[in-house]
Amino acid sequence: MSNSTPATGHEKKKSKGKRLPCSPSRVLHIRQIPNEVTGAEVVSLGLPFGKVTNLLMLRGKGQAFLEMASIDAAVSMVNYYAPATPHLHHQPVYIQYSKYKELRTDNQHNQAKPQPAPQCVNAVQQGNRDITSALAAECGVLPRHGSVLRIIVENVFYPVTLDILYQIFSKFGFVLRIIMFHKNNQFQSLLQYSDAMNAYYAKMSLDGHCIYTGCCTLRIEFSKLANLTVKYNNDKSRDFTRIDLPFGDGQRTVETSIPFATQNTIFPSYTGPPGFAPALGFPQGPSVLPVPGALGPLMVTTSAAPGHMTIPDIPGNSVLLVSNLNPEAITPYGLFILFGVYGDVHRVKIMFKKRGIALVQMADATQAQLAINYLNGQRLYGRVMHATLSKYQTIQLPREGQEDKGLTKDYSNSPLHRFKNPCSKNFQNIFPPSATLHLSNIPSSATVDDLKNLFTSKGSTVKGFKFFQKDCKMALIQLGSVEEAVHALIELHNHDFGENQHLRVSFSKSSI
């Protein structure tokens, strides 16, 4: 093992006593891991914060070293879990920075072979065969595959809905689209992630598991399709990036060959640490497969109302927990404008004692998920922002006389909401943050230099600019980076040109 690899005895000795704090590092030291925990479960702790590039499991010592792709991702992970200790198999595990800056393995110490792929996971030690075998099949490199999974559910005893699939699979990454159908008398589904790595970890972790105890077994393989096209948002298909799609033929339920079970499916509110729940470990009784992630285990309980199934909208919560914010730069208005690109923001609250954490309440759960899909992991004022669902259902306004310092704002009746009109074209123009911004409502008197100077005055580097040929009230402006464009959108959306003319700014799918 090279000098960059942890000296396990030394780390173990330090873990027993009071550890001296280490400076931030891509490598994280995780302690008190139950013996039965797999590498996939340890990796799942890091996936919500960014790509995991390496893993070293210390079997028998209850420890692991997890290497993230960037220091920002590692810092986000440590900051998030500091007030909300994560659990594996219902046991708390503890995460801190390691003194090592990277993980490397040498063959003479009987560790795994060095793996050249920059985004692969080094699954080492004998107990980790579930990951090791999958990697070994491709000579230590993650298989080349797409982001679309083909899912077959066998032994379907209880109904499996699109919403249930979303609850389970969204814990491994951003689910973009789901299509459900029956083929060869089998329940099947196609599910597309935003990232092929998320698809890989979902398959690795869920293939062969049961949704409910003893039935509804998942058989997962990679689809040959590179992309899914969804025309309707209903109970058979859904595009989570397109809230404007029609419902379609009006069939509100999935046609299955089985009757509804005499159960009442209930998704209780998670009451543990915000954002994440104790992960993995199968409760007794008919329960939905618990997997690591943002919403916690889903329980199915017997009801006095036989034949009735209640499944709320997924994910069911419109309040977001936004963390790793820059407390020196962030404001409620800034979050209102940025998150307002993906839905109508009703309330924003920056935590009084932890200014780097905020709650953002969207108009509904669909808009909340859309904001997560596009803004989680985005750089904002020099930090990588992390957005997930909060345990809170609403943001409470401060009581009269309560000290708040303007950190809680109500925007419920703001005229700046982009999606108040259900027929608005804004529904068709929702794009991820990009370095190119779309400008509209430009006064006829404004020149190219006027607009360039306006953005330059806010610290932006203007790389390109062009007016639309058919409409001089619209233009595209390309800035130096995506982060610059995010800052400029916050600063200049609704900029007052005078004479009641206000600039409209949004992200563009085009480039100049």
Side-chain angles (χ1 to χ4, degrees), residues 189-206:
S189 177
L190 294 171
L191 183 145
Q192 181 180 358
Y193 280 103
S194 61
D195 191 307
M197 287 290 291
N198 301 135
Y200 177 79
Y201 285 120
K203 179 185 184 302
M204 179 176 64
S205 299
L206 296 177

Side-chain angles (χ1 to χ4, degrees), residues 417-431:
H417 286 165
R418 297 176 187 250
F419 305 98
K420 287 187 299 183
N421 183 355
C423 299
S424 171
K425 290 185 179 180
N426 290 331
F427 285 102
Q428 303 170 26
N429 294 288
I430 299 174
F431 304 111

Side-chain angles (χ1 to χ4, degrees), residues 264-281:
N264 183 24
T265 305
I266 300 174
F267 299 96
S269 299
Y270 174 57
T271 57
F276 286 80
L280 293 168

Side-chain angles (χ1 to χ4, degrees), residues 83-103:
T85 303
H87 290 65
L88 291 174
H89 291 210
H90 303 289
Q91 298 297 317
V93 296
Y94 300 94
I95 302 173
Q96 60 212 10
Y97 299 115
S98 170
K99 71 175 184 178
Y100 300 98
K101 302 306 179 185
E102 64 176 338
L103 292 181

Side-chain angles (χ1 to χ4, degrees), residues 27-47:
V27 180
L28 301 175
H29 182 211
I30 306 175
R31 300 178 290 116
Q32 297 191 20
I33 302 172
N35 290 334
E36 65 274 14
V37 168
T38 67
E41 296 167 70
V42 175
V43 167
S44 72
L45 293 175
L47 286 178

Side-chain angles (χ1 to χ4, degrees), residues 194-262:
S194 61
D195 191 307
M197 287 290 291
N198 301 135
Y200 177 79
Y201 285 120
K203 179 185 184 302
M204 179 176 64
S205 299
L206 296 177
D207 187 27
H209 283 292
C210 296
I211 297 177
Y212 300 90
T213 303
C215 65
C216 301
T217 306
L218 295 171
R219 303 298 179 194
I220 305 171
E221 59 189 39
F222 296 110
S223 171
K224 295 179 180 179
L225 297 174
N227 189 58
L228 297 182
T229 300
V230 173
K231 296 182 178 179
Y232 304 110
N233 279 342
N234 54 32
D235 291 346
K236 291 183 178 179
S237 63
R238 199 166 302 170
D239 187 330
F240 295 96
T241 70
R242 294 284 306 277
I243 60 178
D244 60 304
L245 291 180
F247 191 83
D249 58 10
Q251 293 178 326
R252 300 195 63 86
T253 57
V254 180
E255 295 177 0
T256 61
S257 57
I258 60 169
F260 276 79
T262 55

Side-chain angles (χ1 to χ4, degrees), residues 161-188:
T161 68
L162 185 149
D163 293 337
I164 287 177
L165 290 179
Y166 179 88
Q167 284 275 16
I168 295 170
F169 283 84
S170 66
K171 298 172 188 297
F172 292 88
F174 302 138
V175 176
L176 300 182
R177 301 168 189 90
I178 300 177
I179 300 173
M180 291 174 31
F181 56 94
H182 277 77
K183 184 177 180 180
N184 301 328
N185 293 323
Q186 287 182 315
F187 176 97
Q188 299 191 32

